[in-house]
Amino acid sequence: MAIDETIKSFLDRFKLPDFSRLDWKQSTDRLRQSFYRASRAVERDAPELAEISTLPVDGADGALRGRLYTPLGAGIGPGPGIVFFHGGGFVLGDLDSHDMICRRLAAASRCRVLSVDYRLAPEHPFPAAHQDAVAAWEWATQRTDVLAMDPDRLCVAGDSAGGNLSAFLAQEMNRASGPLPAFQLLLYPLVQFADIRSKKSSFQEGFFISQNLFDYFRDAYIHSDTDRMDPRVSPLFADDASFRGLPPAHLVLCGWDPLKDEGRAYAAKLAAHGVPVTIREHPGMVHGFMNLTAVSMPAREAIREAGEVVGSALGAI
């Protein structure tokens, strides 16, 4: 199936910088500017929520910014909740770039959503983001009174690099006998950094999906070649014990995404270890398409569908 024409025409306006002519700071600044232009847009028909509030969340090395979304259908807490980690290759993204995804996810799932603004590379290389994810999750499970969330009905969710953090977090809690999520929502997740070159394909080069962008993210976050196989950053290659007993998962994949095959491989590995898993593929969509709800009705519908899956799994719907 061809790339969705609305998405394609929008992304064609965003060109990646020539990394060979820029230093790290210039490259990062240029990428962040382009990403924010693409992902931040006013949507006058955004779902109405009961409340959106900001609050500090514990990170591994100090407080992180958090944003709590309370949908109209959430009722009086404690109720089911979602802890969300944004994507962006561990280099891009913040609370604002993924604000609309979280709004729509909260409305569709009828669950409160806590979005966590973890530390980014290259300023904070591996394992900073992964350490922040653990600290934020442990904080959230201990402060469910503040969040009005039921600790037994929490989902971990994220897109791309945030999907990596979510998959890792479920495995890490499994390994450490920590508070396990009740459900995982993995949106076009990046689940391995071991062989980035395998991501080459016939896919069109463009914003969110180019080969040199993946290379840049890997080198910005992971400074040691040996760390590429670390199960924290490559949860696809974690040992069998890390998979056994994981919570049910729902994966959203894109037809025009170099990460599609590894997402399917991760789902297959979950299933092979007895983990209930479902997949929803959007054939005409590209990596990161859920950030483009300002121009794409299918992107809005995809978030709604994913939210309803989570809401049903957690008993909110």
Side-chain angles (χ1 to χ4, degrees):
M1 183 175 181
I3 295 177
D4 180 269
E5 283 299 321
T6 302
I7 295 286
K8 182 179 181 299
S9 62
F10 181 80
L11 296 181
D12 281 345
R13 290 184 282 159
F14 293 90
K15 302 300 181 182
L16 293 171
D18 180 356
F19 296 106
S20 65
R21 299 181 182 181
L22 299 173
D23 62 24
W24 278 101
K25 186 178 188 307
Q26 290 175 318
S27 299
T28 302
D29 290 345
R30 289 274 298 276
L31 274 173
R32 287 173 178 166
Q33 290 169 11
S34 294
F35 184 75
Y36 296 155
R37 286 200 307 271
S39 61
R40 294 180 182 177
V42 175
E43 297 180 29
R44 299 186 184 280
D45 59 344
E48 182 180 355
L49 301 183
E51 184 180 8
I52 300 175
S53 58
T54 59
L55 71 168
V57 175
D58 282 0
D61 190 30
L64 306 171
R65 293 192 308 147
R67 186 174 292 166
L68 181 63
Y69 299 80
T70 302
L72 293 171
I76 299 174
I82 300 170
V83 177
F84 184 88
F85 298 100
H86 66 76
F90 304 106
V91 175
L92 313 176
D94 61 11
L95 298 181
D96 293 333
S97 67
H98 285 66
D99 177 71
M100 199 54 61
I101 292 179
C102 291
R103 287 174 186 253
R104 294 186 179 278
L105 188 60
S109 67
R110 299 183 188 175
C111 299
R112 290 173 175 83
V113 175
L114 174 65
S115 182
V116 178
D117 196 22
Y118 56 88
R119 291 173 293 169
L120 297 177
E123 296 90 344
H124 303 284
F126 176 75
H130 290 75
Q131 291 173 337
D132 281 346
V134 170
W137 175 258
E138 291 179 342
W139 178 88
T141 58
Q142 294 165 9
R143 299 309 308 272
T144 51
D145 55 336
V146 173
L147 301 173
M149 292 181 180
D150 180 349
D152 295 323
R153 292 193 289 166
L154 292 182
C155 168
V156 63
D159 66 309
S160 192
N164 178 289
L165 293 175
S166 299
F168 148 75
L169 184 59
Q171 289 188 2
E172 182 65 14
M173 292 299 100
N174 203 24
R175 287 187 287 262
S177 299
L180 268 177
F183 196 77
Q184 307 174 68
L185 176 63
L186 309 179
L187 308 174
Y188 33 88
L190 169 66
V191 290
Q192 67 92 11
F193 256 135
D195 186 11
I196 202 76
R197 289 292 172 183
S198 68
K199 300 184 191 300
K200 284 187 175 179
S201 68
S202 59
F203 296 139
Q204 170 181 316
E205 292 286 308
F207 199 74
F208 295 136
I209 59 174
S210 74
Q211 176 63 48
N212 68 338
L213 184 58
F214 284 121
D215 291 341
Y216 180 85
F217 289 157
R218 177 202 61 201
D219 295 340
Y221 189 50
I222 303 174
H223 292 176
S224 170
D225 290 352
T226 58
D227 285 339
R228 297 178 189 178
M229 281 295 291
D230 190 302
R232 289 173 292 180
V233 78
S234 290
L236 177 62
F237 302 123
D239 60 22
D240 289 343
S242 298
F243 281 88
R244 295 192 191 101
L246 286 176
H250 180 68
L251 281 79
V252 176
L253 305 178
C254 312
W256 286 82
D257 182 3
L259 304 189
K260 179 181 68 173
D261 290 342
E262 66 188 56
R264 286 193 169 276
Y266 194 75
K269 197 163 185 179
L270 289 169
H273 288 85
V275 179
V277 59
T278 54
I279 298 175
R280 173 67 163 99
E281 183 176 329
H282 298 272
M285 292 297 156
V286 300
H287 190 80
F289 79 104
M290 286 185 176
N291 282 101
L292 304 177
T293 52
V295 299
S296 173
M297 291 302 294
R300 299 181 183 194
E301 179 66 14
I303 299 173
R304 184 191 64 77
E305 287 182 6
E308 290 178 351
V309 169
V310 176
S312 295
L314 298 182
I317 297 177

